[in-house]
Amino acid sequence: MKKSFQLNLLTVTISSLLLYGCGDAETTIIEKDPIVVIDEDDDHDHDDDDHSDDEFIIESMGRLAILSGDSNEAAIVDLDDSELLDTFTLIHDSNSLTASADFRFAIVASRSNDYVGFIDGGMWREDHVAHLHDYEQAPEMNHLELTGSRPTHIIKHDGHTAVFYDGDADSSTPAAVQVLTDTDISTEITDIPTLNYTMNMHGVAEPMGEYLLSTVRRDDAESTSAAKILPDQVAVYHLHDDEYEQEQVLDVLCPDLHGAAQNGHYVMFGCADGILAAHAHDDEYEAEKILNIASLDGLRIGSIYGHEENETFIGVASGHEAGEAILIKIDPENSEMETLEWQPEIDASPVSYAFAYEGEAFLVLDSKGFLNILTAHDHDGEVHWELAGSVDISEEDITTMPEGMSFSMTVAQNGHYVYVSDPIAQHVLQVHIEDMEIEGDVELEFAPASITWLGIAEEGHEEDHDH
């Protein structure tokens, strides 16, 4: 059954003083009904509790966090009734947006301002042993703020969010990694598990429970990277008393390392000459190199996407300039890679990639406003990705796209939906992935710069790659 999503906003405009801005500005205040809050400290006698699990489970589509392209504001929208729950004025103008590991928090990062902040989306789940307990409350700004140098790659996996800080050569600030859970964020933790380096680098870290697979930059004279800011090794770190200590350096070099992903069995890193594939074996990690294939013709795989429910990875190979992109299937079990049968159109540059929440589909959103849905099929024991169909998500003239903006998408983690934002039409569309149909429309009063899904996730989520 299709459900129409319309957001009718009752607004009252007041003037306000904005940080990092000049002159007059306006802030829109949204009048809305109060949200019924479920008491987080609600006391239950679980030993004598005869209630079914359903009494503590919330059925909800979730919420969307949306960055405005017109101002330094973020909005939280309820997807059940398309109600705008709240807007938040952000400290900085230039921000990126992603979700925390358990999708409770919207993570707002400003790389140029050395800042990471958190907005509580207001929905989360706790395991009370006897049952799962869901909570729903009004969104609010969390007081925790991270201030490391140049936060760039933010990756989540299995309940942990890793923030990689590149550091800065001009100020002699070394790189670092901080790892948090949603509980850490909600309690506004002060002693954050941290990995400190001795030099800056454009690196990446993959969290693995109490372990961390993170990049290593060697001295320029030793490095095999053409761009010395890029690392060429990976090390295994173990958490001890809120600090990560190096336990192992993988013996496979990875020049010009960029991009990483994991699927629960393998951790993959993109290299100039191929893919470094690492996996745990007998209490330590082993690594091998899957060499680039001839069809890449000198391009390197610099972005990788993985999912716990899928044995293969999708790599994206491209040059330094925007334009050509080649999609590659990477099979670590058989140490193979091959180009996908479907490739993006030459005149349509991909702007966003994602796995569906159960890993059964891979989504490519392009600059012409088409959502391309690829599905995996087993043929003679091998997985092949094929184009199942494309959805035209814009009726607008794409040449009128606001400068510096693009379409963007986020995948629901509790159903077969993807949400696609259109800055030209100033709305967000809800697309059913399996049916390949647009089933909802959230109208906005601003151009959305980026979006991310928040809510109570079901089992199995994608590996995130927001920067």
Side-chain angles (χ1 to χ4, degrees), residues 109-135:
S110 180
R111 185 181 190 277
S112 59
N113 293 286
D114 301 339
Y115 170 86
V116 178
F118 306 90
I119 301 174
D120 190 340
M123 297 191 72
W124 73 97
R125 170 172 290 172
E126 292 179 357
D127 188 347
H128 288 188
V129 182
H131 60 262
L132 298 175
H133 198 143
D134 294 349
Y135 296 92

Side-chain angles (χ1 to χ4, degrees), residues 63-66 97-99 106-107 156 410 450-454 466:
R63 294 172 175 179
L64 279 185
I66 309 172
L97 181 69
T98 188
I107 303 177
K156 56 179 177 278
T410 184
S450 60
I451 58 178
T452 194
W453 184 89
L454 304 175
D466 293 296

Side-chain angles (χ1 to χ4, degrees), residues 312-340:
T312 61
F313 293 77
I314 302 295
V316 181
S318 62
H320 293 292
E321 301 297 328
E324 181 182 12
I326 300 176
L327 271 60
I328 301 291
K329 183 199 78 174
I330 308 167
D331 180 359
E333 286 286 347
N334 297 302
S335 301
E336 295 176 347
M337 67 170 70
E338 66 176 9
T339 56
L340 270 61

Side-chain angles (χ1 to χ4, degrees), residues 46 104 115 130 168 172 180 241 282 315 324 337 368 380 382 393:
H46 299 308
R104 175 175 175 178
Y115 170 86
D168 178 51
S172 299
L180 306 96
D241 298 327
D282 293 338
E324 181 182 12
M337 67 170 70
K368 295 184 70 174
D380 293 335
E382 292 188 8
I393 57 90

Side-chain angles (χ1 to χ4, degrees), residues 55-205:
E55 291 193 50
F56 305 102
I57 300 299
I58 295 173
E59 296 292 338
S60 173
M61 298 290 292
R63 294 172 175 179
L64 279 185
I66 309 172
L67 275 186
S68 170
D70 304 329
S71 66
N72 62 332
E73 290 187 333
I76 304 294
V77 172
D78 190 319
L79 290 172
D80 293 323
D81 55 16
S82 295
E83 180 183 11
L84 180 60
L85 300 178
D86 209 343
T87 58
F88 300 88
T89 300
L90 306 177
I91 297 175
H92 304 291
D93 293 328
S94 176
N95 300 288
S96 64
L97 181 69
T98 188
S100 60
D102 286 329
F103 301 94
R104 175 175 175 178
F105 296 91
I107 303 177
V108 178
S110 180
R111 185 181 190 277
S112 59
N113 293 286
D114 301 339
Y115 170 86
V116 178
F118 306 90
I119 301 174
D120 190 340
M123 297 191 72
W124 73 97
R125 170 172 290 172
E126 292 179 357
D127 188 347
H128 288 188
V129 182
H131 60 262
L132 298 175
H133 198 143
D134 294 349
Y135 296 92
E136 183 176 13
Q137 66 180 26
E140 62 180 5
M141 198 75 190
N142 188 273
H143 292 120
L144 178 65
E145 294 181 345
L146 310 182
T147 56
S149 176
R150 304 297 188 267
T152 305
H153 288 279
I154 300 177
I155 288 181
K156 56 179 177 278
H157 180 78
D158 196 24
H160 294 82
T161 300
V163 181
F164 196 102
Y165 302 92
D166 284 357
D168 178 51
D170 293 338
S171 62
S172 299
T173 305
V177 184
Q178 291 185 313
V179 181
L180 306 96
T181 65
D182 280 28
T183 299
D184 293 335
I185 301 169
S186 67
T187 58
E188 300 172 10
I189 185 174
T190 55
D191 297 322
I192 302 173
T194 302
L195 166 61
N196 291 302
Y197 288 98
T198 58
M199 67 174 70
N200 67 300
M201 77 179 89
H202 184 58
V204 65

Side-chain angles (χ1 to χ4, degrees), residues 343-407:
Q343 295 293 330
E345 298 289 338
I346 295 177
D347 59 345
S349 302
V351 296
S352 185
Y353 305 89
F355 272 98
Y357 95 107
E358 289 184 335
E360 77 285 359
F362 188 71
L363 313 175
V364 182
L365 178 64
D366 68 36
S367 58
K368 295 184 70 174
F370 285 88
L371 175 67
N372 304 284
I373 301 173
L374 284 70
T375 55
H377 302 279
D378 192 301
H379 181 69
D380 293 335
E382 292 188 8
V383 175
H384 295 276
W385 289 90
E386 301 173 353
L387 181 66
S390 298
V391 181
D392 188 351
I393 57 90
S394 183
E395 297 178 350
E396 307 295 326
D397 179 359
I398 61 173
T399 63
T400 62
M401 177 69 70
E403 184 178 357
M405 301 185 71
S406 66
F407 303 110

